[in-house]
């Protein structure tokens, strides 16, 4: 009887240890600006400064635990509509949604939202190479990112107010892909890719 009791206590202690480990791993750091949101923009051309690394693969090891995130396709459609409305005011043609670019935008937002990579443009050279391979004739790629508990209108408005982001929105781009994810901490991550 004592032997069985010892096994039960041992198993119970093991499960407590696992639960405490999981609880410790679920605490993550978030960095926010004073407004509670942040944006970033970048553009790279095939002859620009971005490099694909000549076949080198970058392995990203999460510094914080990976959490779950879900796509937000409604916000993606709304952002595309708002960006094209803005382009119309500048007498620019609407951007055409592209499936390959949408895949990369969603993947980047998911990686940021799950803390696989920090917020920003890490891996842009890979996304650029992928898009150039999948979308014939593309020679230039731009990217806008944002995060925070923001509406689609707030994100687009923030990009318009930033010269770097606005440059992408007003660029002579033809294609776009938008990816939005919401993680378990209810944080939204936005990526819009541009290509011509």
């Amino acid at each position: 009887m004592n032997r069985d009791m010892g096994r039960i206590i041992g198993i119970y202690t093991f499960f407590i240890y696992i639960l405490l480990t999981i609880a410790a791993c679920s605490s993550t750091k978030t960095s926010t600006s004073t407004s509670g949101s942040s944006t970033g923009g970048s553009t790279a051309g095939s002859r620009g400064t971005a490099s694909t690394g000549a076949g080198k693969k970058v392995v990203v090891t999460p510094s914080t635990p990976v959490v779950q995130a879900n796509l937000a396709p409604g916000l993606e459609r709304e952002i595309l509509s708002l960006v094209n409305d803005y382009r119309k005011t500048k007498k620019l043609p609407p951007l055409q949604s592209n499936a390959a670019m949408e895949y990369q935008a969603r993947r980047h937002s998911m990686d940021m939202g799950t803390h696989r990579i920090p917020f920003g443009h890490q891996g842009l050279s890979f996304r650029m190479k992928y898009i150039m391979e999948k979308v014939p004739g593309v020679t230039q790629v731009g990217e806008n990112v944002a995060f925070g508990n923001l509406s689609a209108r707030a994100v687009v408005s923030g990009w318009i107010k930033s010269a770097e982001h606005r440059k992408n929105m007003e660029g002579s781009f033809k294609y776009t892909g938008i990816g939005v994810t919401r993680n378990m901490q209810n944080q939204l991550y936005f990526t819009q890719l541009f290509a011509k």
Side-chain angles (χ1 to χ4, degrees):
M1 197 66 157
N2 282 343
R3 184 181 284 170
D4 289 340
M5 186 62 82
R7 284 184 187 160
I8 292 170
I9 290 171
I11 291 169
Y12 180 77
T13 305
F14 176 73
F15 282 118
I16 294 286
Y17 173 77
I18 288 174
L19 289 173
L20 290 173
T21 303
I22 291 170
C25 288
S26 65
S27 65
T28 60
K29 292 182 188 176
T30 46
S31 102
T32 57
S33 65
T34 53
S35 65
S37 64
S38 185
T39 59
S42 182
T43 306
S46 59
R47 295 181 216 104
T49 57
S51 167
T52 58
K56 291 181 185 175
K57 290 189 178 180
V58 177
V59 177
V60 180
T61 304
S63 58
T64 56
V66 175
V67 295
Q68 291 183 341
N70 297 307
L71 295 173
L75 283 170
E76 294 169 358
R77 288 189 296 272
E78 195 175 347
I79 288 171
L80 177 59
S81 177
L82 291 166
V83 168
N84 279 335
D85 287 348
Y86 174 74
R87 285 176 63 86
K88 189 175 181 181
T89 67
K90 301 296 179 184
K91 303 198 181 339
L92 296 166
L95 296 169
Q96 299 172 26
S97 187
N98 177 277
M101 294 175 65
E102 185 176 90
Y103 168 76
Q104 284 299 320
R106 285 177 168 176
R107 183 175 173 169
H108 185 55
S109 289
M110 187 70 70
D111 285 347
M112 292 188 296
T114 57
H115 307 297
R116 283 189 180 279
I117 61 172
F119 172 75
H121 300 286
Q122 184 173 320
L124 177 58
S125 60
F126 169 79
R127 290 186 291 285
M128 182 177 80
K129 181 180 178 186
Y130 179 93
I131 291 165
M132 288 178 177
E133 288 173 357
K134 298 289 184 184
V135 186
V138 168
T139 59
Q140 188 174 355
V141 171
E143 180 178 79
N144 285 355
V145 298
F147 82 91
N149 292 322
L150 305 166
S151 66
R153 189 169 298 279
V155 170
V156 173
S157 177
W159 285 341
I160 291 169
K161 291 174 185 171
S162 162
E164 196 175 340
H165 300 88
R166 193 170 58 248
K167 183 178 177 184
N168 283 337
M169 293 173 69
E170 294 177 359
S172 59
F173 294 110
K174 182 176 181 182
Y175 305 108
T176 192
I178 300 168
V180 181
T181 60
R182 183 189 308 273
N183 67 19
M184 299 299 279
Q185 286 77 36
N186 208 30
Q187 300 162 328
L188 288 163
Y189 287 80
F190 305 82
T191 301
Q192 180 169 17
L193 288 162
F194 304 82
K196 64 178 177 180

